[in-house]
Amino acid sequence: MRVTFPPEVEWVAETKPELLFPRETIDRRVKELAAQISRDYEGREPLLLGILKGSFVFMADLIRGLSIPCRVDFVRVASYGGDTQSSGEVRITGDLELPLTGRDVLIVEDIVDTGLTLSRLLGVLRERQPASVRVCAFLDKSARRRVPFTADYVGFAIPDRFVVGYGLDFNENYRFLPDVCMLKDIA
Ligand code: PRP
């Protein structure tokens, strides 16, 4: 299935991204996740901690589907640079502003790939003594794990293909696409 773009975005159309999850499917699934999280955290006010940049679209939709109050913060973690392969390096380049002590923290991530980012970040965050830490990942590419890691909430399990859109990028392009698409010839 082909994706339709505004005709002026020729460079996107030329790369022929292959549709994986259309926006309607994403919308349904994110609402289901939000309902599940609202049930699980009923009576509490979790701190949703987004990992920039990829999670910003997912975070925006997820919090608007919640039926409980929440706080929101972001942390900037860089692991890939401009490449498609994980470097294995995880750097916190912009720290969160809100204290985690005693709070129920729900990390919001766009994709779990090798698992390096989240497994290392969890170690750092637990030192700040939150009441609990869970992970909500929009996409899970389990075939590429280098360290064991299981998210508590997962939007979609995906094949070992390079995906873009809905916040996910390739060299900072494609984040604006409302659908999730696969790019050809990129490992
Ligand atoms: C991506 C993604 C995750 C991480 C997952 O971030 O957003 O944070 O890689 O990969 P891993 O499981 O192999 O560690 P990226 O560094 O591309 O930054 P971005 O979110 O700004 O696009």
Side-chain angles (χ1 to χ4, degrees):
M1 191 174 177
R2 289 291 305 278
V3 194
T4 53
F5 304 105
E8 64 273 19
V9 191
E10 280 174 20
W11 66 267
V12 177
E14 279 166 14
T15 57
K16 296 188 177 61
E18 213 179 311
L19 185 61
L20 182 59
F21 301 120
R23 60 203 80 179
E24 298 81 10
T25 306
I26 294 170
D27 186 53
R28 265 200 310 275
R29 183 68 188 124
V30 173
K31 286 192 168 99
E32 285 173 5
L33 284 174
Q36 178 72 52
I37 290 165
S38 299
R39 284 194 293 276
D40 293 353
Y41 285 87
E42 198 178 348
R44 291 184 281 170
E45 187 180 348
L47 169 62
L48 270 63
L49 183 60
I51 314 300
L52 291 172
K53 301 179 198 171
S55 70
F56 76 102
V57 180
F58 179 41
M59 172 73 96
D61 284 345
L62 189 66
I63 59 171
R64 287 179 293 174
L66 294 177
S67 56
I68 54 165
C70 70
R71 294 184 180 196
V72 176
D73 204 349
F74 289 94
V75 65
R76 179 86 181 100
V77 178
S79 62
Y80 282 9
D83 205 345
T84 60
Q85 301 288 324
S86 176
S87 62
E89 290 287 319
V90 173
R91 286 179 300 127
I92 296 184
T93 57
D95 209 341
L96 63 164
E97 293 170 356
L98 301 177
L100 298 187
T101 316
R103 297 214 68 96
D104 293 303
V105 176
L106 180 61
I107 297 174
V108 176
E109 179 62 293
D110 57 340
I111 186 166
V112 188
D113 193 327
T114 64
L116 288 167
T117 303
L118 280 171
S119 57
R120 296 197 180 162
L121 185 66
L122 277 172
V124 173
L125 297 182
R126 286 200 173 109
E127 287 172 11
R128 301 184 187 189
Q129 299 177 319
S132 67
V133 187
R134 287 184 189 165
V135 173
C136 177
F138 175 58
L139 301 176
D140 184 5
K141 199 194 280 186
S142 57
R144 285 178 42 94
R145 281 297 193 286
R146 284 168 56 188
V147 291
F149 186 85
T150 307
D152 301 276
Y153 305 93
V154 171
F156 301 98
I158 61 165
D160 188 6
R161 294 282 305 274
F162 198 88
V163 293
V164 294
Y166 200 68
L168 290 107
D169 76 309
F170 173 55
N171 285 345
E172 294 300 329
N173 291 322
Y174 300 96
R175 290 195 201 273
F176 62 90
L177 293 181
D179 312 297
V180 171
C181 300
M182 300 181 287
L183 290 186
K184 288 200 175 92
D185 305 325
I186 298 176

